[in-house]
C-alpha cells in the first residue's frame, strides 16, 4: 500500500500511478484521498474509464450523489458497458428509481 504512494512521489506526472493510488485508497475506505488521487489522474489523462469509475465510486461513498450521477453519465457516454451500467444502476437504486 505504501508503495503506491511512493510511486506517485517518484512519478507525479504519471496518471497510472495516481489511478493505482486511488484504488488503494478506496480499498482502505479513505474516500476523500481516493477522490483526490482519481482527480489527479483525470487531469493528467482525461476521459480514462477506470479513473471515471473510481471518481464515481468515491463520490457515492462520500454522499455526493449529484456529482456521482454526472460522473456515471460521463463514463457511460465515454465507454458504454458493464462498468458504466453497474454505476448507473447503483445511482437508480440510491434514488429509489
Amino acid at each position: 500500500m505504501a508503495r503506491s504512494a511512493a510511486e506517485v512521489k517518484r512519478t507525479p506526472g504519471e496518471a497510472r500511478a495516481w489511478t493505482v493510488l486511488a484504488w488503494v485508497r478506496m480499498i482502505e475506505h479513505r474516500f476523500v484521498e481516493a477522490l483526490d488521487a482519481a482527480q489527479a489522474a483525470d487531469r493528467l489523462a482525461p476521459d480514462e474509464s477506470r479513473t471515471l469509475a473510481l471518481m464515481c465510486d468515491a463520490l457515492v461513498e462520500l454522499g455526493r450523489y449529484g456529482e456521482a450521477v454526472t460522473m456515471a453519465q460521463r463514463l457511460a457516454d465515454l465507454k458504454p458497458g458493464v462498468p458504466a451500467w453497474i454505476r448507473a444502476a447503483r445511482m437508480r437504486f440510491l434514488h429509489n428509481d
Side-chain angles (χ1 to χ4, degrees):
M1 306 283 176
R3 289 174 60 183
S4 58
E7 185 64 19
V8 165
K9 287 181 183 177
R10 191 175 72 75
T11 58
E14 181 66 42
R16 187 172 178 194
W18 286 102
T19 300
V20 171
L21 181 61
W23 276 111
V24 169
R25 295 299 181 244
M26 287 294 292
I27 292 166
E28 296 172 335
H29 288 213
R30 294 165 62 177
F31 303 120
V32 171
E33 293 173 43
L35 180 59
D36 290 344
Q39 288 171 330
D42 189 53
R43 284 190 295 276
L44 293 167
D47 295 332
E48 167 59 45
S49 62
R50 290 183 196 122
T51 304
L52 299 178
L54 281 166
M55 287 192 290
C56 181
D57 294 345
L59 288 164
V60 167
E61 295 299 335
L62 293 169
R64 294 165 56 178
Y65 301 126
E67 293 169 84
V69 168
T70 301
M71 196 59 58
Q73 186 62 58
R74 186 174 158 200
L75 176 60
D77 292 343
L78 175 72
K79 190 171 182 181
V82 173
W85 300 334
I86 288 170
R87 283 157 182 90
R90 187 174 186 196
M91 296 299 104
R92 293 182 69 107
F93 173 79
L94 290 171
H95 287 94
N96 292 319
D97 187 12

